Amino acid sequence: MIEKTSSILPWLQSHHAVTLVTVIETWGSAPRPVGSLMAVRDDGLVEGSVSGGCVEDDLVRRVLRGEWPAQPQLVTYGVSRDEAARFGLPCGGTLRLLVEPLRDAGWIAELQARIARHELVARRLDLATGAVELVPSFRGDRLQFDGQTLHAPFGPQWRLLLIGGGQLSQVMAQMAPLLGYQVLVCDPRRQYRSGWEGLDVVWQEGMPDDVVVAIQPDAHTAIVALTHDPKLDDMALLEALKSPAFYVGALGSKANSQKRRERLALFDLGEAEIARLHGPVGLSIGSRTPGEIAVSILAEMTAVKNAIRPLAQPDSVGCHAGR
């Protein structure tokens, strides 16, 4: 689970008391997934969310009244239908939360540093002592709780490799981290290296097909080709479509996408592998601008990731970017 803890460290360093709330378990239609975090400062300032606004006010009131003990404590909201209605939990949803006072800023600084290095790391919390240990994690790792020990993974578990460094890639690189993606970019054309200042991306050196092989795509990896240069896009797609990547897409019109499929069929790809290609890329939302196209691509990626059947893409979408 990927969550930001950007404010917690400066709050602690400013000698504020901070309470961290983690979603441990949900039943019914819970607004936020397991692993979601919320930090509450001693003056009521909040970062994050555990219920989309349903129980946050009550948690803040209890922090301000000093109700929580010195050790981590479990609390459940929505056990009864009346309580679920009182807190605004939809469809009788129930949340089991872990409320923990934060005293040691050391592990938070280390966690943030390791996430900044794009590492996968898990936090282990001993409820009896409140002791925290950071251990290596892996893609696909999930929050685990056995009643005594919390194992909560952090870091870029989902990856997005963008082939091409143009404007659309830059817009996608701004949006994708908000959805939990670590963004990788490959473009051997040096003229496309400008304009990336301040964006949290990892540049991959080399030709796109070599980069696809080198990053070892897995079921948590998406690959999108955006250069409009068959020498770059097609070679990367050849490797991407043979990989376990959950999403492989390429920009272009229906006509160009059909020509691309015909070219790919000349190589060592089977029909099922070629059928995995999302092209024209993105959902059918009438997108024209780079921002709109980025939204349509990320929306389709989300649909595929969540096993939702995406809508068909009309011929006109994305055509402004080149046929």
Side-chain angles (χ1 to χ4, degrees), residues 2-245:
I2 303 168
E3 296 283 355
K4 292 188 178 297
T5 56
S6 56
S7 295
I8 296 177
L9 185 58
W11 287 352
L12 291 172
Q13 291 172 336
S14 298
H15 305 293
H16 282 283
V18 179
T19 301
L20 184 66
V21 185
T22 305
V23 177
I24 298 298
E25 196 171 7
T26 66
W27 298 269
S29 182
R32 295 281 287 144
V34 168
S36 297
L37 295 176
M38 170 186 173
V40 186
R41 207 166 74 173
D42 51 14
D43 59 0
L45 196 61
V46 172
E47 180 177 80
S49 172
V50 292
S51 75
C54 299
V55 304
E56 277 78 359
D57 287 347
D58 185 68
L59 287 166
V60 171
R61 281 193 295 268
R62 296 174 74 173
V63 167
L64 293 176
R65 290 198 296 259
E67 291 187 13
W68 305 116
Q71 294 301 114
Q73 175 180 321
L74 294 171
V75 60
T76 302
Y77 284 91
V79 173
S80 67
R81 184 178 298 274
D82 289 343
E83 187 179 65
R86 180 163 64 91
F87 288 110
L89 293 169
C91 305
T94 301
L95 298 174
R96 190 183 189 197
L97 308 176
L98 175 64
V99 181
E100 113 190 57
L102 296 182
R103 294 182 294 273
D104 177 17
W107 70 264
I108 299 174
E110 182 183 350
L111 176 65
Q112 291 182 343
R114 292 173 69 169
I115 290 176
R117 296 195 297 267
H118 302 283
E119 294 182 22
L120 294 172
V121 59
R123 180 176 77 104
R124 286 184 181 167
L125 169 69
D126 185 323
L127 264 66
T129 65
V132 172
E133 177 187 12
L134 298 182
V135 298
S137 185
F138 55 88
R139 298 192 186 282
D141 195 7
R142 293 290 182 266
L143 183 142
Q144 302 171 50
F145 179 63
D146 61 7
Q148 178 60 41
T149 303
L150 171 70
H151 174 94
F154 291 78
Q157 294 189 19
W158 297 92
R159 295 183 297 175
L160 169 60
L161 172 61
L162 299 172
I163 307 299
Q167 184 182 17
L168 176 54
S169 293
Q170 292 180 12
V171 175
M172 288 192 66
Q174 296 177 56
M175 296 181 179
L178 300 175
L179 302 179
Y181 290 94
Q182 175 192 21
V183 179
L184 315 177
V185 183
C186 174
D187 196 328
R189 304 169 299 179
R190 292 291 171 179
Q191 64 268 30
Y192 286 94
R193 288 298 186 96
S194 62
W196 288 88
E197 297 80 6
L199 293 179
D200 185 17
V201 303
V202 180
W203 275 90
Q204 304 293 304
E205 301 296 337
M207 295 299 291
D209 53 330
D210 294 330
V211 167
V212 171
V213 174
I215 69 169
Q216 299 180 331
D218 57 15
H220 290 76
T221 304
I223 301 171
V224 182
L226 301 172
T227 73
H228 285 302
D229 184 343
K231 296 188 299 295
L232 300 177
D233 285 348
D234 288 7
M235 298 307 294
L237 293 172
L238 279 171
E239 300 299 336
L241 291 169
K242 291 185 287 186
S243 78

